[in-house]
Amino acid sequence: MKLLSETVSAAQLLLLENTPERLDFFEDDEVDIHQFTTLGGVYHLDALELPPQCKPMKGWIIMEIPKDGLQKYIYPPTTTEDFETENTFPPIEVMLEVNENVIFFEQPMVARWDAEGKHWKTDGISNVVYKSEERLITFSLETFGPITLIQDTHINMPYQSWELRPLGMNNILLTVITIFTEIQIQIKEDLCMLTSIKLKNKTHPSVLEGKWMTPISFSIALKAAGVNIFPTEHSHFYVATNYKVPLVEMKVYREMALLSSAFAFAWSKWNTQCGSKKVVFKVSEHLTKEEEPIENSNWTLLMFSGDRAQMLKIEEDSEKFSETLKEDTEFHSTLYHMVKDFASKEAMEKVRSSNCLFLNCVCQMLLLTRLFSYS
């Protein structure tokens, strides 16, 4: 009952609401912090002025000791009157090794810290070359200062497809497929774990694999690794979304979490055709731990509007979308009562025996990924 309280409902609904308008405006060459993410830490590039040197004098060694210690050398100098040509201070050639725990799906952008404006900027940087296999990046820099690498925050959005499959009691596997990668997340009891990341059909090792975390901690860690599948309230400004009414989204994620121990759910192409007040997806009873794909004949198309669920007559490979009710089926107020029409007793017993902490964890992950609006 606590998971269905008004306080929890309000918090979950807040996760799904989009900002109505952009409140932040950025200058030319300034990095939009809602659109780009800094990855791999900050590189501090500085040159130091040569300290006073020792001077032998009458058997003594004399050296001036500056009160403020080593001083940074300003490059290029603020005054260049003593220098003959403008080419005396050419751009600084920099080569950096990219942090091995960070994934860049495209050539990273380089940004410098503007101490006066207190933001990252991309001006004064040129000739950027990234060698992905060696994980080396080279570029030209006009002046010294803090440097970071940035990537489009929404590079993996919208998702191409997704699937949620039971692995056992209080144990599921969530698979999200994007244009660049396939991400598998295991949810067991009240914790999440990254199972695998595939790049170009090859498994990419990650330091996060095998580490169990809460959903919030997991999302933060995955973002820091460069794999972001967690939209924010600003994401709809940068991604072509399939907008769904927040209340409908919240209700369907809750229902999916409730049934997740015994039923598999998957993406449907018809979800883009049913409007913003409804969602369409595939569902199948799944009580085994087999990794083989579920056959198309075992999937059932369901449509849900938050207060009414129905089985659709059309199939995934039909030519045209239709909301026609499947023969010999009825409307229901919830997905739980909908699947009872075709589910086995064993499946419904698993649903009733699911741990409430597990259901909450699954629901949180679905709320964070927003599969229906960003696929």
Side-chain angles (χ1 to χ4, degrees), residues 201-213:
N201 296 323
K202 294 182 180 179
T203 302
H204 181 85
S206 173
V207 292
L208 298 179
E209 292 180 25
K211 295 183 178 180
W212 292 95
M213 292 175 272

Side-chain angles (χ1 to χ4, degrees), residues 155-364:
I155 196 169
N156 284 305
M157 301 178 202
Y159 323 127
Q160 292 187 320
S161 64
W162 57 268
E163 182 182 282
L164 188 150
R165 177 196 297 255
L167 297 178
M169 193 64 192
N170 299 323
N171 190 2
I172 67 162
L173 183 69
L174 173 62
T175 302
V176 179
I177 299 176
T178 74
I179 191 172
F180 291 103
T181 182
E182 176 183 310
I183 305 160
Q184 290 190 326
I185 303 167
Q186 185 178 356
I187 303 175
K188 188 175 182 180
E189 301 299 338
D190 59 341
L191 297 174
C192 310
M193 180 187 71
L194 179 65
T195 302
S196 69
I197 296 178
K198 291 183 180 179
L199 301 176
K200 299 179 181 179
N201 296 323
K202 294 182 180 179
T203 302
H204 181 85
S206 173
V207 292
L208 298 179
E209 292 180 25
K211 295 183 178 180
W212 292 95
M213 292 175 272
T214 62
I216 299 298
S217 299
F218 177 80
S219 65
I220 294 173
L222 206 58
K223 288 179 185 178
V227 185
N228 183 24
I229 54 171
F230 307 103
T232 67
E233 67 272 19
H234 301 279
S235 295
H236 64 288
F237 292 121
Y238 311 101
V239 182
T241 64
N242 178 26
Y243 176 74
K244 301 295 178 181
V245 174
L247 185 60
V248 175
E249 261 198 285
M250 182 185 72
K251 287 184 176 181
V252 72
Y253 294 147
R254 282 182 165 182
E255 298 268 352
M256 288 171 61
L258 176 64
L259 301 168
S260 59
S261 281
F263 293 88
F265 299 89
W267 169 87
S268 170
K269 68 179 182 181
W270 300 120
N271 186 49
T272 60
Q273 304 293 321
C274 61
S276 62
K277 297 181 180 180
K278 300 172 184 176
V279 293
V280 176
F281 52 94
K282 296 186 293 185
V283 62
S284 174
E285 182 178 314
H286 190 77
L287 301 178
T288 65
K289 298 181 180 180
E290 298 177 0
E291 294 293 333
E292 290 79 9
I294 300 174
E295 296 182 5
N296 291 332
S297 59
N298 294 333
W299 288 111
T300 299
L301 272 180
L302 295 185
M303 185 170 70
F304 185 56
S305 64
D307 53 14
R308 189 171 78 167
Q310 69 183 81
M311 192 180 300
L312 296 178
K313 182 179 180 179
I314 61 171
E315 297 179 353
E316 187 66 17
D317 55 358
S318 298
E319 294 183 359
K320 188 177 180 181
F321 177 69
S322 172
E323 296 186 7
T324 304
L325 189 69
K326 190 173 183 179
E327 294 86 351
D328 301 322
T329 63
E330 299 177 345
F331 294 108
H332 290 278
S333 60
T334 67
L335 292 180
Y336 175 83
H337 292 92
M338 181 76 252
V339 300
K340 282 182 68 177
D341 284 356
F342 59 84
S344 65
K345 291 183 178 180
E346 184 183 357
M348 298 312 296
E349 182 60 32
K350 269 195 169 184
V351 170
R352 285 189 289 268
S353 303
S354 297
N355 186 293
C356 62
L357 295 179
F358 166 73
L359 302 182
N360 181 52
C361 189
V362 175
C363 187
Q364 281 192 60

Side-chain angles (χ1 to χ4, degrees), residues 2 21 27 49 62 67 88 100 106-107 185 203 225 233 241 262 272 295 299 303 366:
K2 287 183 179 179
E21 59 183 14
E27 302 174 359
E49 291 187 359
I62 301 176
K67 293 182 179 180
T88 305
E100 61 180 2
E106 292 181 340
Q107 175 172 302
I185 303 167
T203 302
E233 67 272 19
T241 64
T272 60
E295 296 182 5
W299 288 111
M303 185 170 70
L366 295 176

Side-chain angles (χ1 to χ4, degrees), residues 1-13:
M1 293 303 297
K2 287 183 179 179
L3 296 179
L4 298 175
S5 67
E6 293 183 1
T7 303
V8 173
S9 299
Q12 291 180 344
L13 200 59

